[in-house]
Amino acid sequence: MRPYQIYAVQAITQFGDNHQAIKAFFPKAQLFGFTGTPIFEENASYTQIDGTVGTFKTTQDLFEKPLHAYTITHPIDDRNVLRFHIDYYQPEGKAAPSSPAAATDQAAMVSKKPQPQPQSKPSPALSQRAIVDAILDKHPAATNHGRFNALLATASINDAIRHYELFQEIQAERRAADPNYRPLNIACVFSPPAEGNRDVRQLQEDLPQEQADNQQEPEQKKAALQRIMADYNAQYGTNHSPGEFDRYYYQDVQQRIKDQQYPHSEVPRKDKIDLTIVVDMLLTGFDSKYLNTLYVDKNLKHHSLIQAFSRTNRVLNDTKPYGNILDFRAQQAAVDEAIALFSGEDAQRTREIWLVDPAPKVMEKLETAVAQLESFMKAQGQPCTPEAVTNLRGDLARAEFINRFKEVQRLKTQLDQYTDLNEAQKAQIEQRLPEETLRGFRGMYLETAQRLRAQQDKDGDDSNITRQTIEQLDFEFVLFSSAVIDYDYIMELNARFSQAKPGKQTLSREQLINLLSASSNLMDEREDIIAYINTLEAGQGHGGIEDIKGDYQVFSAHKTQAGLDALAGMHGLAPEALRGFVTGVLERLIFDGEQLSELFAPLGLGWKARSQAELALMNDLAPLLKKQAGGREISGLAAYE
């Protein structure tokens, strides 16, 4: 029996010329297709002619008998991808606009002729300027204050160009009105006129709208793309041109979107993309776990709608509870139709599976979680305040606090990313859980979690109930991290605090410390930064942010040296010898046990006494070495942890 030869063809549409080309190249092949958004009669557009009879081409026509059904409903229900939160945007105080594409869509359903998306426009209340203003206002909430990034899907190349220009204009206006305004980094991608370029021509086979648009006034579109790419080159220090669009520029944009996964300390914010404006590109096949939001100013339906929405719903962690969709075209009917089409066997539960709970229901869950936290604190004989957490007795009570408050924070994180909360709902949430109170509880959570995590790292009796409870804790520090509060942000606030006159600061010293304490971003450095903040005096003019950074580095180095000298005194070692030992470990990131023994050689201890002395020192020194390593692994140190 001859072995089968197996070839994989990935992420290529099988409708149109591609399928015929593959069959011609592999004439005896048996093809297997995999899709979460199959083409049925209802959403077919390609036609096939048999004699004089025309029918629509479906996935089953191409691959024949279905072997297994697994549409998008199934992975959502299995939690392999996220559900969606859809905000059908409407201006404050106005009724939701009716879909401007309804008649066009109805006609298209009758004719089913292949055609680009219709160029219908939003209602006058939703002009492009209003859409750009709404995006700029809602983007911080939608993306968890910049932890994630977003796409804006537009109806045509001309619309993409105009949106891009409006973002430039409006952000310049906001920057002029507020010097502290931080503009979004905006990119825009659409294919250029092919002009005989085979790569672009092949690319446009899957880009029907862009292919059609480029037939009209191609020189104007090429000129606009050149301006957009010139801005991009200036922003990111690149040198792209339309002639190498697919090979370099398009790939670079995709990589910068994916770079959102890295903290600003590794990839600076200026090198990332906050929002990418698209027409057809990136709406199918592109995956990034740190892309969570799709703004829609384009008519979508059936599989095209689902594929576009699915750019946002890749699973990450609890900081990304769902894929966020902000629709400016009132397309609820199209969404409902797509849900019905791809509902699978469980049509009754489909909406529940696909869509997250509306804001009022999540607010009810938050109310319940806060009430349960209050009942727990009351049962411990304590008021429900951040300060009272320190009075909890025993690790079992502390572990219960971790679990209770983590649920509060999880629901608050979910609500914070709802773009459709109105002012009354925001006020209700703030009244039930004031921001200052929440920040205080976050700080106590992190302090308690660090204490219990240290317990997890120590050996103990696993049959002990308290230890079993602690071992099972999942602290989920990522829920308490912030995309805003990083090292540079804290240093900038320090600079502002030191320069402001007493009584004129935007943040008091206590508020600044609470802000830092409530975030898990700088847990290892928090103690040093707080100590430094306590040395600053408002209005004393310690300098700008770079001066503050340098001042803090000197302060931190002196504090570390003082700590080492104190350790040396406690363990009977020469301070300069211990400092030299630590410097050697950090430079090489290798812990050498022989050098540790040499450190104790001047004390003339026997082997047993020396071993005990080494262990005692390392019990105190290991945490300091880990902190100074800044997340880098020190080879050999694990033996002393």
Side-chain angles (χ1 to χ4, degrees), residues 186-444:
I186 309 288
C188 182
V189 288
F190 54 83
S191 58
E195 297 179 334
N197 186 314
R198 291 180 60 188
D199 290 338
V200 173
R201 201 162 57 235
Q202 182 177 1
L203 183 70
Q204 288 181 346
E205 287 183 9
D206 295 329
L207 309 173
Q209 187 66 56
E210 295 181 23
Q211 188 178 51
D213 286 350
N214 274 309
Q215 303 302 313
Q216 306 296 322
E217 301 178 325
E219 289 304 315
Q220 292 185 20
K221 292 179 175 63
K222 184 177 179 180
L225 184 60
Q226 286 174 325
R227 293 194 300 272
I228 290 168
M229 293 177 74
D231 291 344
Y232 187 93
N233 290 336
Q235 167 74 28
Y236 298 111
T238 53
N239 189 31
H240 302 307
S241 65
E244 53 183 29
F245 174 88
D246 184 38
R247 189 173 300 176
Y248 296 112
Y249 175 67
Y250 186 37
Q251 301 302 320
D252 193 49
V253 169
Q254 292 180 71
Q255 185 57 54
R256 290 185 191 278
I257 295 172
K258 292 182 178 182
D259 283 347
Q260 193 74 12
Q261 66 186 296
Y262 301 112
H264 295 334
S265 58
E266 295 182 25
V267 178
R269 182 184 176 276
K270 66 180 182 64
D271 293 334
K272 300 175 182 176
I273 295 174
D274 297 307
L275 173 66
T276 306
I277 303 170
V278 301
V279 182
D280 289 328
M281 305 183 99
L282 298 177
L283 295 182
T284 60
F286 176 74
D287 285 334
S288 171
K289 291 183 178 182
Y290 279 77
L291 195 158
N292 84 322
T293 298
L294 175 69
Y295 303 111
V296 183
D297 185 21
K298 175 188 180 93
N299 295 332
L300 296 169
K301 60 189 298 184
H302 298 146
H303 57 283
S304 296
L305 182 148
I306 299 306
Q307 288 172 348
F309 282 20
S310 296
R311 298 315 102 214
T312 69
N313 73 338
R314 296 317 185 240
V315 173
L316 180 64
N317 53 45
D318 278 345
T319 65
K320 184 183 179 183
Y322 43 76
N324 225 344
I325 311 299
L326 186 53
D327 173 35
F328 294 101
R329 295 230 170 183
Q331 298 182 90
Q332 184 169 355
V335 171
D336 291 344
E337 188 177 343
I339 290 175
L341 184 61
F342 297 105
S343 61
E345 303 88 356
D346 198 355
Q348 296 300 318
R349 289 183 57 236
T350 299
R351 287 187 62 83
E352 176 187 335
I353 293 170
W354 280 51
L355 305 178
V356 297
D357 292 329
K361 190 166 184 178
V362 183
M363 290 171 66
E364 290 176 8
K365 292 180 179 179
L366 179 64
E367 167 64 35
T368 299
V370 173
Q372 289 175 343
L373 177 64
E374 290 172 338
S375 297
F376 161 72
M377 294 296 289
K378 184 178 180 181
Q380 302 299 311
Q382 300 295 331
C384 192
T385 63
E387 299 79 14
V389 176
T390 58
N391 299 328
L392 293 176
R393 295 184 179 181
D395 286 341
L396 277 177
R398 297 184 187 99
E400 183 67 12
F401 166 74
I402 290 294
N403 287 327
R404 296 285 185 189
F405 183 70
K406 184 171 63 177
E407 179 63 8
V408 172
Q409 181 60 49
R410 186 185 67 80
L411 291 166
K412 183 63 166 58
T413 298
Q414 185 172 345
L415 275 173
D416 284 345
Q417 293 176 50
Y418 272 56
T419 53
D420 52 354
L421 287 174
N422 59 41
E423 293 305 316
Q425 289 171 323
K426 292 176 184 177
Q428 183 180 340
I429 295 168
E430 173 64 20
Q431 183 177 11
R432 188 65 181 96
L433 189 61
E435 189 62 35
E436 281 297 314
T437 301
L438 178 66
R439 191 175 293 139
F441 272 121
R442 284 167 59 98
M444 294 311 304

Side-chain angles (χ1 to χ4, degrees), residues 27-164:
K28 297 183 179 180
Q30 184 171 4
L31 302 181
F32 295 85
F34 300 87
T35 179
T37 52
I39 304 300
F40 303 111
E41 282 281 348
E42 294 88 342
N43 60 319
S45 58
Y46 284 93
T47 57
Q48 55 187 358
I49 305 297
D50 183 8
T52 59
V53 179
T55 59
F56 297 114
K57 189 179 293 186
T58 68
T59 299
Q60 188 163 343
D61 290 329
L62 291 178
F63 296 100
E64 300 181 2
K65 181 181 178 181
L67 300 179
H68 178 63
Y70 193 77
T71 62
I72 186 172
T73 301
H74 297 92
I76 293 176
D77 200 21
D78 295 342
R79 300 191 178 183
N80 290 322
V81 293
L82 301 172
R83 295 191 291 171
F84 299 108
H85 170 262
I86 305 176
D87 177 359
Y88 300 104
Y89 177 76
Q90 59 192 62
E92 287 289 333
K94 300 204 177 191
S98 60
S99 172
T104 309
D105 288 347
Q106 191 172 15
M109 287 175 67
V110 174
S111 67
K112 285 290 187 74
K113 294 179 180 179
Q115 57 186 2
Q117 287 290 328
Q119 299 302 303
S120 54
K121 298 292 183 183
S123 66
L126 290 180
S127 66
Q128 286 181 312
R129 173 170 281 270
I131 289 171
V132 170
D133 274 324
I135 289 173
L136 291 174
D137 291 340
K138 290 177 174 285
H139 190 81
T143 60
N144 198 349
H145 297 279
R147 179 186 298 278
F148 306 106
N149 48 24
L151 299 177
L152 166 58
T154 62
S156 67
I157 290 179
N158 284 339
D159 279 3
I161 294 168
R162 184 56 185 146
H163 274 299
Y164 178 82

